[in-house]
Amino acid sequence: MRALIIDDSRAMRSILRRIVNGLGFESAEAGDGQQALDVLESGFNPDICLIDWNMPVMDGYTFITKVRDNPEWRSMTLMMVTTESEQKQIVRALAAGAHEYVIKPFTPDAIADKLELLGLRATEVPA
Amino acid sequence: MTALAPELTDLQAVVEEVWSTFVGYEHPLCPRQVPPGTPLDASVWSGAVSVTGEWQGAVTVELADDVAQAISRVMLDLGDAETLADDDVADAVGELVNMIGGNVKSLMPGPSSLSLPAVAAGRAVFPSDAHEVARLDLTWTGEPVRITVHCPGSPR
Amino acid sequence: MVSASEAFAAVSALTRRETGMIYDEGKEYLVEARLQPLATKAGCSFADYVTKILADPIERAKAMDALTINETSWFRDNAPYQAFTDVMLPDLLQARAATRRLRIWSAASSSGQEAYSIAMLLDQHLPPGWTSEIVASDYSPTMLDRVRAGRYSQVEMNRGLPATLLVKYFSRVGSEWEVAPHLRDMVTLRSQNLTAPFTGLGTFDLILLRNVLIYFEKDVRHDILRRMLPMLNPGGYFLIGSSETTLDSPPALAAAWQREQIGRVQVHRVAPALADRPTAPIAASLTGA
């Protein structure tokens, strides 16, 4: 299983990386939506993207709409991980094609619970 | 006109939730009794985000140097021996104020949008046409932490 | 001056006597994590706090409250809720077609995530014309207050609640989220110590007692399992935690619970031989087993 972590904060990427690696996922990172599209174009092909909303260059919402426009990326699971917690905005992200939504702050368990909910489970946890 | 302000208990809940989740429970955030207008005497880092839309305002976090460095090490998973660059502290403080600011935004009437964080080594500077509507003075490991919410316009 | 291990032993014995729950050696960290905030609030060290709760009944009640809190999440483990929607509910809808009513018991409700998770599923899948009641019971008055309020912090909301259900059933109130009034109306609250007799609760089509039995001593565990038998309506389901079992019970009790597999989930039902007979005498005849 592979995860692409998209957040403009290195601290937040580091936190998320430790969580998903601990669950046995391989990971790659991007600092904004455009960089994330570049990572996808380069062939990383993740099972799930963890996506911040507010980022410079291209925000997470725009990234989701771009991914949903490309049939090649249809099978990819998209999960927002953001401080944006207005109910209308959550509905908007889900309507645009996000599968799940985690609101910051979160505990490591919350990420694990959601991945389980999405049926994403790494087969082997590296030592 | 009086600007709409977040309830202090809600602001406190937001800050404690963000803090305990990403900094940890080991040392609690404690209240700090200071008269209004007291400047932060310690050397500080500050981060700010602004909210625009149905509700307008700015959320600022000011942290004593030691606090800013300690939380950056926790968030970036750096050991005591590893070098911590100013850039690292700016990143971690930025994410902290982003999380606090985003949750403050949700306490207020929407829709509105959140700016990217602006972080500086030093005290926060507030525009003269803004006034403070809520302030939380805290200490962490004995060092000051201050969260303020400002709204445009003069008070009353 | 009390040593840390003496303090732990004292708390452990007290908790066992008051609530029947066991905190074995090795669970020191858990006891300390749960009592330290109370000690800090009372302005004393952990060891001094233990001395305090031995002498002060009000502080003792607070400590017992903190120690019996069960960590919980929405749709915990997911699979049992999937099994409920896919298999148990359709089966119960057939079995109860005459009365068109379902009663469900969340027997150690904690802060209410289990009861409200079931409420959300019933809201979506119970056909029109049916009624339901979910009884949420707990030993802790703090927890019952929380279920009544139906309010959860951001961190709690993130634990296992699908985003589509968050936006459908919750609204923001200050820094918290509040469950929809029509879900709250589906849930009835009851104060219930699991070691005390189950009186005035009625009987149920589904009982959830997940990840609770592990906290009790063997004898208490068996007693609870015995007293659960007559609480279940014919054809009803009993759910315990995935790491819990009825198999280590005395033979008569183990045989009284029939195990069934639904996908990854093991459910319990009252064995047919027993279900044929009237319920009350069975409980009595098993009491001495």
Side-chain angles (χ1 to χ4, degrees):
Chain A
M1 287 276 169
R2 295 160 170 229
L4 175 57
I5 300 164
I6 312 163
D7 198 302
D8 56 332
S9 162
R10 278 184 293 116
M12 184 48 65
R13 294 203 300 269
S14 160
I15 288 164
L16 287 168
R17 179 178 63 234
R18 277 173 273 151
I19 295 171
V20 299
N21 289 356
L23 293 167
F25 283 70
E26 271 179 61
S27 63
E29 296 174 25
D32 61 59
Q34 185 55 54
Q35 276 185 23
L37 289 176
D38 295 345
V39 173
L40 295 182
E41 300 281 3
S42 77
F44 176 69
N45 204 16
D47 299 279
I48 184 165
C49 296
L50 285 70
I51 313 152
D52 187 19
W53 193 307
N54 287 305
M55 292 181 290
V57 188
M58 183 193 289
D59 68 26
Y61 180 82
T62 311
F63 171 77
I64 285 181
T65 58
K66 300 254 182 210
V67 169
R68 282 293 162 253
D69 282 347
N70 187 334
E72 271 181 52
W73 296 330
R74 207 34 67 77
S75 66
M76 204 158 53
T77 302
L78 306 176
M79 179 159 88
M80 295 298 286
V81 182
T82 169
T83 183
E84 176 58 70
S85 49
E86 270 182 47
Q87 211 146 350
K88 278 187 184 142
Q89 295 286 72
I90 303 175
V91 174
R92 215 175 130 227
L94 295 174
H99 298 89
E100 261 306 337
Y101 204 103
V102 173
I103 300 167
K104 295 175 184 173
F106 55 84
T107 57
D109 292 337
I111 302 289
D113 285 351
K114 293 276 180 169
L115 293 175
E116 174 85 33
L117 203 62
L118 291 163
L120 296 169
R121 197 184 296 168
T123 39
E124 263 176 74
V125 179
Chain B
M1 187 196 94
T2 310
L4 206 53
E7 295 286 336
L8 264 188
T9 48
D10 283 333
L11 182 61
Q12 175 119 20
V14 161
V15 171
E16 278 183 1
E17 206 162 50
V18 169
W19 205 276
S20 59
T21 311
F22 291 109
V23 183
Y25 293 94
E26 207 182 334
H27 303 285
L29 276 171
C30 303
R32 172 169 173 257
Q33 306 296 338
V34 289
T38 311
L40 277 185
D41 40 15
S43 161
V44 296
W45 279 85
S46 58
V49 286
S50 58
V51 178
T52 47
E54 195 55 37
W55 182 77
Q56 311 255 8
V59 179
T60 310
V61 176
E62 290 169 281
L63 309 163
D65 241 352
D66 291 351
V67 178
Q69 295 195 14
I71 66 162
S72 303
R73 283 190 187 279
V74 173
M75 290 174 76
L76 285 155
D77 195 30
L78 295 174
D80 290 340
E82 287 175 88
T83 329
L84 183 73
D86 279 356
D87 194 28
D88 296 331
V89 181
D91 183 283
V93 172
E95 185 57 19
L96 190 73
V97 73
N98 169 53
M99 285 190 278
I100 293 172
N103 279 281
V104 167
K105 168 167 113 73
S106 299
L107 297 176
M108 309 312 293
S112 53
S113 54
L114 187 71
S115 74
L116 293 171
V119 181
R123 284 208 51 220
V125 180
F126 303 104
S128 55
D129 64 348
H131 70 283
E132 185 181 296
V133 294
R135 177 163 62 106
L136 215 51
D137 269 302
L138 305 164
T139 62
W140 187 70
T141 62
E143 299 288 334
V145 171
R146 175 178 287 175
I147 292 93
T148 43
V149 179
H150 279 76
C151 285
S154 54
R156 265 162 268 269
Chain C
M1 197 62 212
V2 219
S3 77
S5 66
E6 282 167 346
F8 177 75
V11 174
S12 174
L14 184 67
T15 315
R16 184 180 297 210
R17 196 170 68 232
E18 297 254 326
T19 68
M21 288 174 78
I22 33 172
Y23 277 99
D24 284 332
E25 273 176 67
K27 293 277 176 63
E28 283 89 346
Y29 72 95
L30 200 58
V31 169
E32 201 165 338
R34 289 182 171 188
L35 294 189
Q36 190 59 56
L38 291 173
T40 309
K41 218 176 225 172
C44 54
S45 71
F46 178 68
D48 289 346
Y49 184 71
V50 171
T51 315
K52 190 178 171 73
I53 61 174
L54 294 173
D56 177 348
I58 293 171
E59 205 58 48
R60 179 158 71 234
K62 280 193 217 163
M64 290 305 113
D65 203 22
L67 285 170
T68 49
I69 288 167
N70 203 5
E71 270 190 37
T72 185
S73 57
W74 304 96
F75 299 94
R76 183 168 177 181
D77 304 330
N78 208 25
Y81 293 92
Q82 200 63 53
F84 173 73
T85 312
D86 294 348
V87 178
M88 290 181 253
L89 186 58
D91 178 49
L92 288 169
L93 290 179
Q94 263 191 339
R96 303 288 177 262
T99 56
R100 293 186 169 209
R101 179 165 176 80
L102 292 182
R103 293 192 79 238
I104 294 169
W105 182 17
S106 172
S109 70
S110 192
S111 37
Q113 283 89 334
E114 181 176 84
Y116 288 127
S117 296
I118 290 286
M120 287 182 248
L121 295 180
L122 288 179
D123 184 67
Q124 293 171 81
H125 300 292
L126 201 62
W130 282 69
T131 59
S132 67
E133 184 188 14
I134 300 165
V135 175
S137 73
D138 206 273
Y139 167 83
S140 157
T142 311
M143 287 299 113
L144 288 175
D145 283 345
R146 291 215 48 201
V147 184
R148 189 174 295 117
R151 285 195 186 190
Y152 300 92
S153 73
Q154 193 70 76
V155 167
E156 288 173 313
M157 293 306 286
N158 275 332
R159 293 290 316 271
L161 182 66
T164 46
L165 299 184
L166 179 144
V167 292
K168 186 170 181 190
Y169 292 115
F170 292 83
S171 52
R172 220 163 157 138
V173 179
S175 62
E176 299 180 310
W177 293 81
E178 187 175 280
V179 74
H182 74 281
L183 289 195
R184 221 167 12 175
D185 292 344
M186 294 168 75
V187 177
T188 311
L189 299 169
R190 282 291 301 263
S191 167
Q192 176 72 52
N193 185 341
L194 290 169
T195 60
F198 304 140
T199 50
L201 287 160
T203 53
F204 298 93
D205 302 300
L206 168 67
I207 298 173
L208 300 114
L209 185 71
R210 304 185 57 224
N211 311 297
V212 185
L213 289 171
I214 37 166
Y215 292 105
F216 293 101
E217 280 184 280
K218 205 171 177 185
D219 290 351
V220 179
R221 209 157 62 217
H222 296 161
D223 179 52
I224 294 170
L225 286 172
R226 229 171 253 130
R227 290 183 296 115
M228 279 291 169
L229 285 164
M231 301 306 288
L232 212 55
N233 288 332
Y237 293 89
F238 178 51
L239 272 171
I240 56 178
S242 55
S243 62
E244 296 168 324
T245 179
T246 52
L247 285 172
D248 66 346
S249 309
L253 180 59
W257 284 113
Q258 176 178 293
R259 282 156 293 278
E260 265 181 43
Q261 200 71 29
I262 305 177
R264 282 162 52 203
V265 183
Q266 189 171 72
V267 299
H268 287 78
R269 311 182 81 173
V270 178
L274 290 166
D276 291 344
R277 290 185 261 152
T279 44
I282 295 158
S285 71
L286 282 167
T287 312

